Amino acid sequence: MSDNSTEIEPVGEIAVIPITSFRNSNDAFEHRLPPVSATEKAETYLAGHEDVHLPDAGIRRLVQGAVDPQSLDGIRVEQHRVETGWLMVISYRAYSPMISLAIENDRLLAEASYAADPRAGGSRKALAMPEPHPEYAALVHPDDHQDILESVDRSAKRVLTDNPQEVGERLVERPLMLVPSIFRSETGEPTVDITAVDGNCRLSFCFSRMKVQRGWVDDSLIGDASKEVVKLLPSHLMRMTLSTRRELVRKVIKRDHKRLAEARTGTSADLKSRNEAAMTLNAMTVPAQVIVGYSDDDPARGMQRFPAAVRALLMRMNVGNKPFEVGAQNAVTAEEIINGLYEEGLLEDGSSPQALRDALIGRGNVAAAMQQLGLEPHLPDLRFALVMQQLTRKSPSFNTLVKSKLHTAGNLVNSRRNGPIVELGLRSYSANRDLRSVRSALETVCLWQDLVDTSWTVENIDSDEKVDDLLARAEQKEDQALLLLGALGMVALVMSGHLLAAAGSAEAITGTTIARTGVGHIIKSLLTTEEGRAILADAVKRVRAGRAPRWWDAEKRDLVEPEGWKGSTYNAHLRSAVRNGFAVKVGKGKTTAEKESGALTLFQEQLVDAVYRLQDLSVMREEHGTSDLLSWAEVEASFKQIGKLEANLRRMSEPMPDTW
């Protein structure tokens, strides 16, 4: 070793970790990509296996991407139970460049741009859900090839930032879940691939460790003509044929083993170069489980429910190391609910259930689906109302399926329906990247019980004249009109920032107390008054036109444009009006009747809050599996208070009217 000060002892050198028993002439581990001839027996075995339901091209990709294809000859096919049947799975080790990323990362669903939004552009575009193949256990992706390439690169870039992985200094240890997928190539012909439906983060970091020479991938994909070495992108691989990808693996392995075989110089540059080569080789392979077949509990369904079975398996897997965020969890669950209702024939539109499914999920074909349903596709509030209407239905079969997707028992209360409704509804506004305050407001429960208790439909209210007609019907206390007006008005007020969660400064803004209840309760209260109904109808018309909602002037008995009001100001005054009435003026004393009315309103609001808190406790006990009854000592005081409330309220109220 030289005494030159620029040289260092290679104490930080990273080793290539053996994955097979193969050793070269220097008795050191070395990767060896098996020849195609070594894959033929395994291909024949899998093609003849009764539990393997893959096209020949899928089996060929699987086997030719294996580190040890001979181990697949006679391999045991395992069965994984999902709610609709059995998924057939085999476990092996694969070369990572032989695998493609999934087109979507479900953790990002709550932040993607959806076809449900008329303003959504091409960035962060959520592609259509994969469809079942009529014969094989494969996911069929209907989107344009270029959109798919952009999606996988975007997903890879995002996870590199959001979820760093230790790849390179050590091997990938947790298996990836793979599934055969069928895309449409740039020429329009079907092409089969193997995609990582779980493990995109690990696979992305494997790719990030690999640098390839100009000429090893399509030069048109590299960009800068001066670059001779580029990092490998998922889209590079998805443009390659099977044989070209194998050749790329061979070239990378050969180059990096050759680099490690060179003599050490002891310089920092030498150590860095050697470590880069070693980390590339350690990232070259991954443990994998690949879904090779599916058996439905109802044989007549064939592969119809295969995509749902795959997603159900993934939902069960994502409860450990990095579970979904609440928004993404609700988004995935919502899609599972809609697909389940569609598959079981429970979507409430017998004439066009597929159009209803597409409109509700909001990923693709949304405009055509809305038109087929008789709804204007350029009005996102109509689609949001459609989501609310479909997921507030009530029937034994509907409730059973939705509860199974929510993995819950007991009553299907509003708080349980709320999350999926919010995430599906917000897809109509996904071009707005800052939805935090809106999502926070809607998550306080944007529903009110009448939506569940009363059957209602979404009409094509696509003009100011139709909104006025809807208001006129609501004034006649028509249930259908009231609920639809409430749904459209809520969307208008919330999405425009004029009805959000109650702010701490609201009382200071209004000089009065305010209603600090959920959005749904505010809307329910507005529907009970002439002023509230007028505000809701006006908000629908004005927000659609890109204008701020007007306010009800109690003296003029008309709607006016308040001067200098921000959205937070409007929100505070709206909540004050729900609590105290529209006639209350800041700084003026209240009449005795107004004070008593306000006290009753406050009592009723807090009673509703108490009911919600009790529902939350019930939901919590069910989620925790708690079956022990509460001790009498814990609840005795509550029962006494409830009894006193009832007795005191009865003394002040008229007798209950006879209903017979």
Side-chain angles (χ1 to χ4, degrees), residues 366-378:
V366 180
M370 291 286 285
Q371 288 176 333
Q372 191 171 345
L373 296 171
L375 300 174
E376 170 55 52
H378 295 100

Side-chain angles (χ1 to χ4, degrees), residues 132-411:
H133 190 278
E135 181 180 356
Y136 301 123
L139 302 178
V140 179
H141 296 271
D143 297 282
D144 291 340
H145 196 252
Q146 187 59 41
D147 287 340
I148 288 171
L149 296 180
E150 291 175 1
S151 172
V152 295
D153 283 349
R154 186 169 60 246
S155 180
K157 181 179 179 181
R158 178 67 181 271
V159 299
L160 290 175
T161 302
D162 289 355
N163 192 20
Q165 303 283 305
E166 294 182 18
V167 176
E169 293 187 43
R170 55 194 292 183
L171 296 173
V172 174
E173 297 169 357
R174 194 156 56 95
L176 283 67
M177 179 59 71
L178 312 181
V179 64
S181 299
I182 298 176
F183 302 96
R184 294 286 174 183
S185 69
E186 292 174 303
T187 59
E189 296 187 6
T191 178
V192 179
D193 209 335
I194 304 292
T195 60
V197 288
D198 180 74
N200 276 332
C201 297
R202 282 158 275 159
L203 190 57
S204 295
F205 272 86
C206 287
F207 294 162
S208 74
R209 292 296 187 195
M210 298 178 194
K211 294 181 179 179
V212 296
Q213 303 293 131
R214 177 176 289 278
W216 290 6
V217 297
D218 186 345
D219 283 359
S220 66
L221 303 177
I222 295 177
D224 190 344
S226 67
K227 290 183 178 179
E228 290 298 326
V229 178
V230 295
K231 283 191 174 182
L232 191 63
L233 296 176
S235 60
H236 292 157
L237 296 169
M238 293 185 70
R239 288 174 179 263
M240 295 180 178
T241 63
L242 175 59
S243 60
T244 306
R245 283 173 87 157
R246 281 176 56 85
E247 186 59 27
L248 176 68
V249 171
R250 193 187 313 278
K251 287 177 178 178
V252 174
I253 288 173
K254 182 178 179 180
R255 177 198 62 193
D256 289 322
H257 275 301
K258 181 180 179 181
R259 172 66 189 89
L260 293 174
E262 295 173 359
R264 296 178 176 85
T265 67
T267 65
S268 59
D270 176 65
L271 179 62
K272 179 181 178 182
S273 176
R274 295 180 66 84
N275 282 349
E276 286 181 350
M279 287 191 290
T280 296
L281 292 170
N282 287 338
M284 184 58 65
T285 68
V286 291
Q289 295 179 306
V290 59
I291 299 172
V292 297
Y294 173 64
S295 176
D296 199 288
D297 289 340
D298 180 359
R301 291 180 179 266
M303 294 294 165
Q304 178 186 351
R305 296 194 286 187
F306 175 68
V310 173
R311 293 178 71 82
L313 179 65
L314 297 181
M315 285 289 289
R316 197 166 65 211
M317 293 171 62
N318 281 283
V319 296
N321 298 302
K322 191 176 188 299
F324 288 178
E325 294 179 357
V326 174
Q329 179 90 37
N330 285 333
V332 174
T333 301
E335 292 192 10
E336 285 296 299
I337 290 172
I338 300 304
N339 276 310
L341 293 170
Y342 172 74
E343 289 157 4
E344 298 302 321
L346 297 175
L347 281 182
E348 200 176 68
D349 192 297
S351 60
S352 49
Q354 183 170 343
L356 183 54
R357 180 197 64 173
D358 291 344
L360 293 172
I361 289 178
R363 284 178 175 261
N365 305 319
V366 180
M370 291 286 285
Q371 288 176 333
Q372 191 171 345
L373 296 171
L375 300 174
E376 170 55 52
H378 295 100
L379 295 176
D381 56 350
L382 285 178
R383 182 186 162 274
F384 201 132
L386 182 67
V387 171
M388 292 177 65
Q389 183 262 333
Q390 283 293 312
L391 291 183
T392 54
R393 290 162 45 205
K394 184 171 65 173
S395 73
S397 54
F398 174 90
N399 289 4
T400 298
L401 186 139
V402 174
K403 286 190 290 186
S404 73
K405 299 297 183 181
L406 292 171
H407 304 290
T408 187
N411 294 328

Side-chain angles (χ1 to χ4, degrees), residues 13-86:
E13 184 171 336
I14 297 171
V16 178
I17 304 171
I19 56 170
T20 68
S21 60
F22 180 81
R23 294 292 187 275
N24 59 22
S25 58
N26 296 323
D27 198 34
F29 165 74
E30 190 172 324
H31 285 271
R32 280 286 187 266
L33 183 67
V36 173
S37 59
T39 68
E40 294 173 354
K41 287 187 177 180
E43 188 175 334
T44 300
Y45 169 76
L46 292 175
H49 199 292
E50 63 179 359
D51 288 334
V52 177
H53 312 134
L54 299 180
D56 292 342
I59 295 175
R60 190 170 301 116
R61 277 192 174 268
L62 187 161
V63 174
Q64 292 192 19
V67 171
D68 182 12
Q70 290 92 337
S71 67
L72 300 179
D73 182 14
I75 192 171
R76 177 173 174 266
V77 179
E78 301 174 347
Q79 294 187 345
H80 289 210
R81 179 65 191 173
V82 291
E83 62 185 55
T84 57
W86 296 89

Side-chain angles (χ1 to χ4, degrees), residues 1 4 26 61 79 99 114 123 141 168 199 386 472 477 495 572:
M1 183 68 66
N4 191 306
N26 296 323
R61 277 192 174 268
Q79 294 187 345
I99 303 168
Y114 286 86
S123 62
H141 296 271
L386 182 67
K477 302 298 188 296
M495 298 312 302

Side-chain angles (χ1 to χ4, degrees), residues 75 114 139 150 181 363 367 437 442 483 498 500 515 614 658:
I75 192 171
Y114 286 86
L139 302 178
E150 291 175 1
S181 299
R363 284 178 175 261
S437 58
L442 293 172
L483 295 180
H498 290 79
L500 300 175
L614 187 60
D658 292 335

